[in-house]
Amino acid sequence: MTYDTALIMLGFFAFCGGLIDAAVGGGGLVQIPALLHALPQHSITTVLGTNKLAVWAGTVSSIFRYVNKIKFVWKLLIPTMLSAFIFAFIGAMTVAHIPKQFMTYLVFFLLIVMAIYTFLKKDLGAHSTYVKCGHKEIVLGIFFGGLIGFYDGVFGPGSGSFLLFLFVKVFGFDFLNASASAKIVNIGTFSSALLFFIPTGHVLWEIGLMIAVCNVMGALVGVFLALRYGSQFIRIFFLFLLVFLIIRMGLSIF
């Protein structure tokens, strides 16, 4: 495969990753394997750093489309995002010390649990059951934000899907609001990780900026679909994504 062909393929997967990320999260599980295949001469840390630049751009662009359409619960989102920001930086610092095999098995198991639960609960996320944001909800947000933020810093792919599931299951958001809220928290995790990856030289700027443009284009399409077709569309899309990821990870593991 020539260099130009590899760039075109990367651009295509970045577009798909941005679309998936904007709607349901998990686009990194499409984009990172493409980067690993196209950049075999670079370390996993550099691949993750370059990916973070692209997904940061895509996520920022999707938030601008959501912000006038969704009523965000800032009282919950801000502490959750700050916790995720701090722990994402810690995760990025330890990326070389966490066994990737362990993370792969853990994510594989969690994806199966989320898929089964979402499939069985037909009304999950169809309508908002969110009541209030008290101290309990804020503490839960900080706790889960920290866990997902650390995972995002260490590995990353699927963090948006975990956040979406968190907002639906724990806080009672509908899928549309949960998807938009997950983007707010992801901005914190992506920004934090980049504060580590950029100064340490683990971002390939030429490739990163190219796939960032493609990621933004995909994100804009993803937000359009999410806003146009609503929570039920996102639920079905989310289930399809989980099944795809389970099969893909299962084949690589077994």
Side-chain angles (χ1 to χ4, degrees):
M1 183 184 293
T2 65
Y3 180 73
D4 289 341
T5 304
L7 286 181
I8 292 171
M9 292 300 295
L10 273 179
F12 171 75
F13 281 109
F15 176 87
C16 294
L19 189 156
I20 294 168
D21 247 342
V24 295
L29 283 158
V30 174
Q31 192 164 290
I32 286 181
L35 281 165
L36 287 170
H37 179 72
L39 306 169
Q41 72 276 28
H42 293 283
S43 68
I44 181 67
T45 310
T46 300
V47 169
L48 293 176
T50 303
N51 176 69
K52 279 290 187 288
L53 178 65
V55 295
W56 181 90
T59 303
V60 169
S61 67
S62 66
I63 286 175
F64 279 116
R65 293 294 302 275
Y66 276 126
V67 73
N68 293 323
K69 308 287 185 179
I70 301 295
K71 186 177 180 181
F72 290 107
V73 186
W74 293 109
K75 186 179 177 181
L76 173 65
L77 287 179
I78 290 175
T80 303
M81 181 179 67
L82 289 175
S83 175
F85 178 92
I86 293 168
F87 281 92
F89 188 83
I90 296 171
M93 289 175 65
T94 61
V95 69
H97 307 291
I98 303 292
K100 290 297 181 293
Q101 195 71 6
F102 168 75
M103 295 301 299
T104 302
Y105 282 119
L106 177 62
V107 172
F108 183 65
F109 171 75
L110 291 175
L111 288 173
I112 292 173
V113 171
M114 287 197 306
I116 293 172
Y117 190 89
T118 305
F119 179 77
L120 293 177
K121 293 283 186 179
K122 304 294 184 184
D123 59 343
L124 180 70
H127 305 285
S128 176
T129 57
Y130 172 78
V131 178
K132 64 171 184 174
C133 179
H135 294 302
K136 177 185 175 183
E137 287 73 23
I138 292 173
V139 170
L140 285 173
I142 292 171
F143 174 72
F144 285 112
L147 283 180
I148 297 172
F150 182 79
Y151 165 73
D152 199 332
V154 171
F155 189 52
S159 65
S161 298
F162 291 136
L163 285 167
L164 186 151
F165 189 79
L166 166 70
F167 284 117
V168 171
K169 172 59 183 160
V170 177
F171 300 116
F173 288 15
D174 61 74
F175 268 106
L176 180 60
N177 203 318
S179 179
S181 298
K183 303 297 168 291
I184 299 293
V185 181
N186 266 149
I187 281 294
T189 62
F190 297 160
S191 300
S192 180
L194 283 172
L195 286 177
F196 170 78
F197 288 126
I198 291 175
T200 53
H202 288 298
V203 173
L204 302 174
W205 287 99
E206 182 181 347
I207 293 175
L209 291 173
M210 185 276 293
I211 61 174
V213 172
C214 298
N215 204 273
V216 168
M217 293 169 63
L220 295 177
V221 174
V223 174
F224 170 79
L225 293 174
L227 291 174
R228 177 74 180 271
Y229 298 107
S231 290
Q232 192 58 31
F233 163 78
I234 295 177
R235 179 183 182 274
I236 294 170
F237 197 178
F238 183 61
L239 272 172
F240 272 114
L241 174 70
L242 291 180
V243 171
F244 168 76
L245 296 179
I246 288 166
I247 294 172
R248 197 182 194 293
M249 292 190 74
L251 289 174
S252 67
I253 291 172
F254 302 111

